């Protein structure tokens, strides 16, 4: 699987226009290889963030070549942003949760938690092992975590994304489970720095493959 992480700085006066333009991405629901796309506003910074997931790098590149620029030109979204950050990479780990699978989690989630991790040199293997053996089962046991992914954006940057049923479930996890998991994970051994985002998801920005949208 292939992941794409986007951050957009949107002036207050352009937020409504950006919102409408982002909703127009529903037009790509028929694009082969799309697993799902969703996003929301970060309450802490006011920035908009989007997560896109594709079956593999090839289908993502086909989309970029065939459709991407036409959608941007049509919705004029680029005129609403003063800054756009984009990073892509291979999804190297999937985490199971309360949903039957990742596509069902993308349908049901109302909150996205993101940990953008910059790793210390030589710590990738240990970092991923801790994701598998500590974080994934710990979050799954908390209840409300639907599914998650870890995407390697580059050799020293990994994006950990988890989909939650609602903000109350995530708050319960943060209060009652996170401190013990953080202690067991010994983050300081693997991570140089981490930027966190808790994004209430905008329903209008959710793009599901056409076949799944018809099943709902």
């Amino acid at each position: 699987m292939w992941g794409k992480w986007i951050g957009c700085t949107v002036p207050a006066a352009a937020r409504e226009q950006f919102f409408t333009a982002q909703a127009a991405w529903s037009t790509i629901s028929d694009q082969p290889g799309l697993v799902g796309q969703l996003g929301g506003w970060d309450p802490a910074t006011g920035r908009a963030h989007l997560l896109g997931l594709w079956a593999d790098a090839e289908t993502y590149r086909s989309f970029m070549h065939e459709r991407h620029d036409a959608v941007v030109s049509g919705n004029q979204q680029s005129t609403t942003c003063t800054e756009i950050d984009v990073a892509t990479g291979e999804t190297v780990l999937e985490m199971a949760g309360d949903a039957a699978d990742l596509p069902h989690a993308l349908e049901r989630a109302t909150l996205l938690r993101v940990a953008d991790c910059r790793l210390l040199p030589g710590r990738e293997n240990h970092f991923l092992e801790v994701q598998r053996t500590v974080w994934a089962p710990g979050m799954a046991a908390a209840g409300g975590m639907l599914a998650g992914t870890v995407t390697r954006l580059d050799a020293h940057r990994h994006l950990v994304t988890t989909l939650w049923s609602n903000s109350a479930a995530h708050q319960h996890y943060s209060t009652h489970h996170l401190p013990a998991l953080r202690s067991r994970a010994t983050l300081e051994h693997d991570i140089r720095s981490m930027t966190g985002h808790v994004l209430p998801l905008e329903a209008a920005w959710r793009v599901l493959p056409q076949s799944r949208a018809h099943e709902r």
Side-chain angles (χ1 to χ4, degrees), residues 5 34 119 148 154 211:
W5 176 238
L34 175 69
L119 305 187
D154 64 40
S211 57

Side-chain angles (χ1 to χ4, degrees), residues 51-95:
L51 174 68
L53 294 171
W54 295 82
D56 49 42
E58 289 70 27
T59 54
Y60 168 71
R61 292 184 185 120
S62 293
F63 157 69
M64 292 298 293
H65 177 71
E66 298 168 3
R67 302 279 293 277
H68 177 271
D69 290 356
V71 178
V72 172
S73 176
N75 66 20
Q76 300 184 354
Q77 190 170 26
S78 59
T79 65
T80 68
C81 306
T82 57
E83 182 182 5
I84 303 177
D85 306 314
V86 179
T88 67
E90 181 185 5
T91 296
V92 293
L93 177 65
E94 290 189 43
M95 294 179 280

Side-chain angles (χ1 to χ4, degrees), residues 67-159:
R67 302 279 293 277
H68 177 271
D69 290 356
V71 178
V72 172
S73 176
N75 66 20
Q76 300 184 354
Q77 190 170 26
S78 59
T79 65
T80 68
C81 306
T82 57
E83 182 182 5
I84 303 177
D85 306 314
V86 179
T88 67
E90 181 185 5
T91 296
V92 293
L93 177 65
E94 290 189 43
M95 294 179 280
D98 291 349
D101 52 29
L102 181 60
H104 282 93
L106 291 166
E107 292 176 10
R108 293 172 50 193
T110 66
L111 188 90
L112 174 66
R113 164 62 179 167
V114 177
D116 191 346
C117 303
R118 312 280 178 156
L119 305 187
L120 293 165
R123 300 302 296 178
E124 179 183 20
N125 288 341
H126 185 262
F127 171 81
L128 291 175
E129 181 64 17
V130 169
Q131 297 301 316
R132 279 189 287 265
T133 61
V134 177
W135 289 109
M139 287 188 288
M145 197 278 279
L146 302 174
T149 61
V150 180
T151 299
R152 181 192 290 118
L153 298 179
D154 64 40
H156 302 295
R157 184 184 178 193
H158 287 59
L159 195 74

Side-chain angles (χ1 to χ4, degrees), residues 17-35:
Q17 184 183 353
F18 179 93
F19 180 98
T20 301
Q22 187 58 43
W25 284 94
S26 61
T27 189
I28 70 168
S29 65
D30 63 345
Q31 183 69 24
L34 175 69
V35 177

